[in-house]
Amino acid sequence: MIVTKHNAPLKQLHTFRLPGVARVVYYLRDKHDCASLPTNNYLVIGHGSNTIFTSDFERPLVRVELRGIEMTESSEHWLLKVAAGEPWHEFVTYCLDSGYFGLENLALIPGTVGAAPVQNIGAYGSEVADFISSVEAWDREQHCFVQLEHDDCQFAYRDSIFKKNPQRWLITAVYFRIPKRWCANNQYAELSDLVEPTAAQIYQRVISVRQNKLPDPDLVANAGSFFKNPTVSAQHYQQLVSLYPELRGYANADGSFKLAAGWLIDKRGWKGKQIGSIAVHQRQALVLINSGNGCSADLLALATAIKNDIQQSFAITLEVEVRLFDDQSLIQL
Ligand code: EPU
């Protein structure tokens, strides 16, 4: 049976906690109910930790609350089928406790397992795509369940086929393929002083780095990184390095460079700046926070001011990383 709520407070449905109401929310607790949702014009959400609603939301929401983990194995891999509504961090912890090592770099990321492939969550040198073998989804056009193989998912930095086509699929489960032969991934700066670490040590370090730098969405309303890290050409990168020798950049395989947007925003002095109750986080300039009674006008004003400043100062166009919605659909700044 599908649980339905009318005029539900949006504050309870997204971790940035702007005010407003969702006209109707369907809570999906049995995947077979996908076929009987009363409309097809819905937006799918998990815990709402990468989604910001800037006004009342008029379209129906489907909040995925499917639970369950099934494990099988082959000689070389742990094979897990995980329902989309499982909380991501609980799943990472379950894997660590069970001896399925590999996901520890992705500890403490907010959100659900079903949301993880949508934006291909990544942190501290790992991306979830590296561990996904396929994704089970309800095809909203064909009205049937489908299984998209890893290569069908078009995974890229904070991107996937699901992010590009938000109306097409409702993810119901994710299949993980975790190699039994584990190798520590401690290349990332904050992990690199760990000598021959165990998976548990990486897990603990990632948790403590995140707790130090990033606000806990249960305590301070936020949606993680607000902007994506931008890519610039080699020439543009060299120009910037000659002006700012301490610039943080990483070479991509195609010769371009990925820059740390947090560094750029920080360099321009935005840390701690605020408009109304919306502020740039004190310890990580890529994260915007809502200190309590923030409104969408202040959020949009602050984010636009940052974007314009980065454009003028570095000739770099920042792209929004969170999913930002008005009353109907995705918006860009
Ligand atoms: N930096 C600054 N000032 C700041 C923020 C960052 O100088 O205010 C510098 C850092 O010192 C570092 C570099 O910029 O040298 C990169 O910073 P950090 O390692 O914190 O990572 P990030 O690029 O800011 C990305 C992800 C995070 C993820 C971290 C760790 C994106 C958009 N964000 O942030 O993901 O946790 O790497 O791997 O790719 C999220 O998506 O919500 C998120 C938090």
Side-chain angles (χ1 to χ4, degrees):
M1 201 193 69
I2 303 171
V3 176
T4 306
K5 233 190 215 179
H6 293 276
N7 295 324
L10 279 168
K11 278 190 180 206
Q12 293 165 14
L13 294 164
H14 68 152
T15 62
F16 205 82
R17 298 197 275 280
L18 292 178
V21 294
R23 288 291 166 236
V24 56
V25 187
Y26 301 111
Y27 294 83
L28 187 72
R29 291 173 186 159
D30 179 341
K31 77 172 188 182
H32 299 291
D33 287 337
C34 288
S36 38
L37 284 163
T39 164
N40 206 19
N41 181 34
Y42 52 82
L43 174 76
V44 181
I45 57 168
H47 291 164
S49 51
N50 198 49
T51 302
I52 299 181
F53 295 104
T54 59
S55 64
D56 291 346
F57 197 67
E58 302 299 334
R59 279 168 52 203
L61 290 177
V62 171
R63 186 174 146 113
V64 178
E65 296 188 339
L66 306 167
R67 301 297 295 261
I69 300 178
E70 294 165 32
M71 200 284 285
T72 54
E73 59 186 291
S74 68
S75 55
E76 310 257 302
H77 295 93
W78 307 110
L79 304 166
L80 294 121
K81 179 184 181 186
V82 187
E86 287 290 335
W88 173 260
H89 178 66
E90 281 180 29
F91 169 57
V92 172
T93 305
Y94 160 85
C95 286
L96 187 85
D97 292 346
S98 310
Y100 318 145
F101 302 145
L103 298 179
E104 53 282 349
N105 297 54
L106 303 174
L108 215 63
I109 296 180
T112 57
V113 167
V118 178
Q119 59 147 338
N120 184 16
I121 56 171
Y124 306 103
S126 282
E127 280 187 346
V128 74
D130 301 338
F131 301 94
I132 292 178
S133 58
S134 65
V135 173
E136 178 196 84
W138 172 251
D139 185 329
R140 297 163 62 176
E141 277 178 16
Q142 302 299 321
H143 285 263
C144 59
F145 285 102
V146 290
Q147 198 157 334
L148 286 96
E149 297 302 322
H150 177 281
D151 289 349
D152 300 331
C153 296
Q154 299 177 15
F155 289 122
Y157 167 62
R158 289 297 195 277
D159 202 14
S160 71
I161 197 167
F162 309 108
K163 192 163 176 185
K164 290 194 192 94
N165 301 277
Q167 289 303 104
R168 178 73 194 266
W169 294 282
L170 185 168
I171 294 174
T172 48
V174 181
Y175 287 81
F176 293 88
R177 191 164 170 268
I178 302 177
K180 287 185 175 174
R181 186 182 299 173
W182 176 76
C183 186
N185 177 0
N186 60 334
Q187 303 294 308
Y188 205 86
E190 273 101 339
L191 313 180
S192 60
D193 65 309
L194 297 171
V195 181
E196 295 186 14
T198 62
Q201 285 168 327
I202 294 180
Y203 172 88
Q204 291 302 346
R205 172 62 70 85
V206 167
I207 289 175
S208 85
V209 171
R210 290 190 79 96
Q211 285 174 337
N212 258 324
K213 273 196 182 175
L214 297 166
D216 176 349
D218 286 343
L219 306 176
V220 178
N222 78 92
S225 301
F226 190 88
F227 296 104
K228 283 191 203 178
N229 283 330
T231 290
V232 296
S233 67
Q235 190 193 10
H236 193 167
Y237 175 72
Q238 295 308 340
Q239 282 166 356
L240 290 171
V241 169
S242 62
L243 293 169
Y244 310 99
E246 71 285 20
L247 182 78
R248 297 285 196 286
Y250 313 93
N252 290 321
D254 64 1
S256 62
F257 284 78
K258 171 122 43 99
L259 300 182
W263 185 91
L264 300 170
I265 298 168
D266 189 2
K267 180 78 189 165
R268 293 290 306 151
W270 284 99
K271 259 186 191 162
K273 293 272 161 58
Q274 64 189 88
I275 297 185
S277 298
I278 307 292
V280 179
H281 188 52
Q282 287 282 5
R283 292 195 298 277
Q284 165 52 290
L286 197 48
V287 175
L288 303 185
I289 60 170
N290 170 8
S291 62
N293 299 311
C295 65
S296 58
D298 290 343
L299 169 66
L300 297 174
L302 182 62
T304 304
I306 293 170
K307 185 178 153 121
N308 290 343
D309 184 37
I310 299 305
Q311 181 75 54
Q312 275 160 20
S313 309
F314 305 105
I316 289 172
T317 307
L318 289 182
E319 278 177 42
V320 174
E321 197 267 345
V322 293
R323 300 192 305 172
L324 202 55
F325 287 95
D326 63 10
D327 57 343
Q328 293 283 342
S329 49
L330 212 53
I331 52 172
Q332 291 295 328
L333 287 182

